Amino acid sequence: MKEQIGLDRLTGLIAFARAGSLGSYTAAARSLSISPSAVSKSIQRLERQLGVSLFTRTTRSLTLTTEGRDLHERALRLLHDAEEIEQVAKAARTEPAGTLRVAASLPIGLHVIAPALAQFRARYPRVAIDLRLSDHMVDLIEGGFDLAVRIGDLADSRLLSRRLWPYRLCCYASPDYLARRDPPTHPDGLGEHETVNLRYQSTGQMFRWPFRIGEKDVEIVPSSGIVVDASEAVLATIAAGAGIGMATSFMAGAWVRRGALVPVLADYAVDRHNITALWPESRRANPAVRAFLDTLVELP
């Protein structure tokens, strides 16, 4: 008996949510593929169960009461959740396919995403990848992108998001440079060294080097003899012996493994957790997007 009452109430809430949004029982019935009388009976039954009037009815209009307005938003969330369950179930039965448009910053795209694409395509051969790399922020919805991977704080509430892998910001220099100069033992000692810094293309601002000193994060902008506007150029320049530069661990890792760079001031390196995948609400149940997200989570 209790299960039947619960089912009736759920049916009534769905009919109420649709009727409140569409403004008529007929329109709600059409969207739910049932008769207007079924919608009317479900809502009347719900009103009796709740003990409130949800609509003010006339021959020409259907208007939410004060109590109805308070409950309508909650009913809409219930309806949204029910539709999402259906979408997820359908997506689970669908093999990922089609073209996936992905936007990412150049460093992440070059060092993390691009090396993983061969494995992704081997796993999902029906998905074609269109990867766009730029240090300029793109509008996913306006640009028609399915997914983006970004570094930094996010403010676009229209997008769904998921935090990805942590990384480390550390100073590096070439073995050749360190053979000529003793490495600094504290960030304050950088003033006595040649440094290479990054200027952001999007803002023209200099990159502020973060260090963990004691219990605080401290930022400095070294007086650098060389400034470049691409993070790849920082690595290439310091690997050639030009001085000390700062880079992310996912970028510098390959250089370190082949012996071209050595960490400097590693005890003062800063850990970050601000790499995020973002995708529009409309792509929530897209099988290719879900598959690509699963692949991203598995990366370093």
Side-chain angles (χ1 to χ4, degrees), residues 151 167-171 187 190 195-200 203-212 217-224 227-228 234 245-248 268-270 272 274:
I151 301 180
Y167 63 97
R168 173 164 286 198
L169 279 164
C170 185
C171 287
L190 285 170
T195 57
V196 179
N197 203 6
L198 172 72
R199 185 190 302 277
Y200 290 108
T203 65
Q205 298 295 314
M206 299 288 286
F207 174 53
R208 303 179 67 86
W209 295 18
F211 294 98
R212 186 69 175 174
D217 284 350
V218 177
E219 293 184 343
I220 68 170
V221 179
S223 178
S224 300
V227 177
V228 298
V234 172
M246 181 170 279
T248 62
Y268 300 94
V270 173
R272 289 282 189 261
N274 61 351

